[in-house]
Amino acid sequence: MTTPALFTPLTLRGVTFPHRVWMAPMCQYSAEPTGPAAGVPHDWHLQHYGSRAVGGAALVITEATAVTPEGRITPFDLGLWDEAQAEGHRRLTALVHAQGAKAGIQLAHAGRKASTDAPWRGGAPLGADEGGWETVGPSAVPFAADSPAPRALSTDDVAGVVRAFADAAVRAVEVGYDVVEVHAAHGYLLHQFLSPDSNRRGDAYGGSFENRTRLVREVVEAVRTAVGEGVVVLVRVSATDWVEPAGWTADDTVRLAADLAPLGVDMVHVSTGGNLPSVRIPAGPGYQVPFAARIRAEAGVPTVAVGMITDAAHAEAVLADGSADAIALARPLLADPYWPLRAALDLGVEPTVPQQYGRAGTLLR
């Protein structure tokens, strides 16, 4: 019997993923906000990521992890800008590896979407008296009507952002991550530079496509140099702002992906939206897959598909028809940490159940 595409191994730069069901980054907003433990993974994160590794995910990508304190979406985000945080991440990667999974980290800077409360507390921008801080962006353009205008980054500040991503990438490798993902999606800082709706600069980082993509290219080059040749580098993109032909478009994303591949990007992780509020997004099963397929076909770069892929047959079809090279799951893995084991059974593959849970194997069926 032919092995389903979803459960064939994938090797990149000598890193072999046992199959192609991956855990997408999902913010937990559960770190300590201040003090020496600020941004440090703790027991919640260990059980959260460890359980998905036990459940069979081949790659576990941790949530958006800030490269600077002001790059956090909320005060409760994980970080990787100091050594205390590095030690917490080292515990996390060891736990994931012990279950036979690979460990990935998404490095991020929230830009103008930073300094907000946790979503279950309303998600509103935080004032200084509430633990908030000054936000930054490519230009002094607020995200929404109730958002503060960010401080426009100087060219020296932009160089500092590049260094912060590189420094965090060095720490990521030191603590055992196999994969580093650069977050250039969902309206966060790198995406803000890409889109003409948020980038109104008149210098080398604004205006033309080449200039608006310059920061992403510089970050990717710096991260690749920082991690060396043996670490897999992904870039998460929002393939469209959903306001075409304005904004950041699918055509732009294909062009960017082709530019990033020679700089050391191994795969493009394809999402959409997030840079503009109140945009109509035609969400539905697999609604982002066509963008992954375009990038893969036209830019010649392997892709990760994500977004409302909820059952094994659908995931298998996405890979079998050549739309993507791996599937990243978000909410399905929140609902069921053992989704990969059940998917294997659905597709006729005998999963490897941890021996401690062997007596429950029949219940997975």
Side-chain angles (χ1 to χ4, degrees):
M1 179 178 176
T2 303
T3 302
L6 194 61
F7 287 95
T8 58
L10 175 66
T11 299
L12 300 168
R13 294 185 180 268
V15 178
T16 297
F17 306 92
H19 58 77
R20 302 174 189 230
V21 182
W22 296 357
M23 180 181 181
M26 291 174 280
C27 289
Q28 296 296 291
Y29 307 113
S30 296
E32 292 296 322
T34 58
V40 177
H42 56 69
D43 288 351
W44 174 264
H45 305 93
L46 289 173
Q47 67 79 26
H48 172 65
Y49 293 112
S51 64
R52 274 69 194 177
V54 169
L59 169 64
V60 173
I61 308 178
T62 59
E63 63 205 80
T65 300
V67 298
T68 66
E70 64 273 15
R72 293 173 293 171
I73 306 165
T74 77
F76 312 105
D77 288 16
L78 292 185
L80 195 50
W81 65 79
D82 68 28
E83 291 310 308
Q85 295 160 349
E87 187 55 37
H89 284 279
R90 186 175 284 110
R91 292 179 63 207
L92 197 158
T93 60
L95 177 58
V96 170
H97 287 150
Q99 313 313 313
K102 301 301 182 184
I105 186 169
Q106 186 185 70
L107 299 180
H109 191 303
R112 68 177 184 174
K113 293 178 77 173
S115 188
T116 62
D117 210 344
W120 49 81
R121 292 164 45 146
L126 294 172
D129 59 340
E130 302 171 297
W133 56 90
E134 179 185 47
T135 60
V136 298
S139 305
V141 179
F143 171 64
D146 62 347
S147 302
R151 175 177 61 84
L153 292 168
S154 69
T155 52
D156 286 344
D157 292 331
V158 172
V161 168
V162 177
R163 287 194 300 273
F165 271 92
D167 290 346
V170 169
R171 291 191 180 95
V173 175
E174 290 174 345
V175 302
Y177 283 106
D178 309 287
V179 174
V180 172
E181 178 170 281
V182 174
H183 199 355
H186 300 160
Y188 298 124
L189 184 64
L190 300 188
H191 185 182
Q192 292 161 28
F193 270 83
L194 294 174
S195 176
D197 284 302
S198 44
N199 185 345
R200 312 284 176 81
R201 300 173 73 96
D203 63 2
Y205 292 93
S208 67
F209 173 90
E210 180 181 5
N211 286 354
R212 285 183 285 111
T213 61
R214 189 181 307 277
L215 178 56
V216 174
R217 289 185 280 110
E218 289 182 348
V219 166
V220 165
E221 286 187 285
V223 166
R224 171 49 72 198
T225 298
V227 302
E229 292 301 314
V231 174
V232 177
V233 173
L234 310 183
V235 173
R236 185 78 178 264
V237 298
S238 281
T240 177
D241 285 341
W242 294 109
V243 290
E244 297 191 36
W248 180 255
T249 70
D251 289 344
D252 292 330
T253 303
V254 171
R255 184 176 172 187
L256 174 63
D259 289 345
L260 293 179
L263 304 180
V265 169
D266 299 299
M267 300 184 81
V268 177
H269 191 171
V270 187
S271 189
T272 61
N275 195 46
L276 301 170
S278 305
V279 172
R280 278 183 89 89
I281 298 178
Y287 72 105
Q288 295 175 153
V289 171
F291 299 102
R294 266 201 72 185
I295 292 166
R296 189 174 188 267
E298 297 177 28
V301 182
T303 58
V304 185
V306 67
M308 297 186 73
I309 301 169
T310 59
D311 64 75
H314 186 187
E316 172 66 12
V318 170
L319 299 187
D321 72 8
S323 292
D325 300 272
I327 302 294
L329 300 178
R331 283 173 287 187
L333 276 177
L334 290 184
D336 182 6
Y338 304 100
W339 193 101
L341 302 181
R342 299 182 195 278
L345 287 168
D346 287 346
L347 296 175
V349 175
E350 192 64 34
T352 301
V353 179
Q355 60 186 6
Q356 297 92 332
Y357 292 174
R359 287 175 293 178
T362 57
L363 298 179
L364 291 173
R365 302 175 193 274

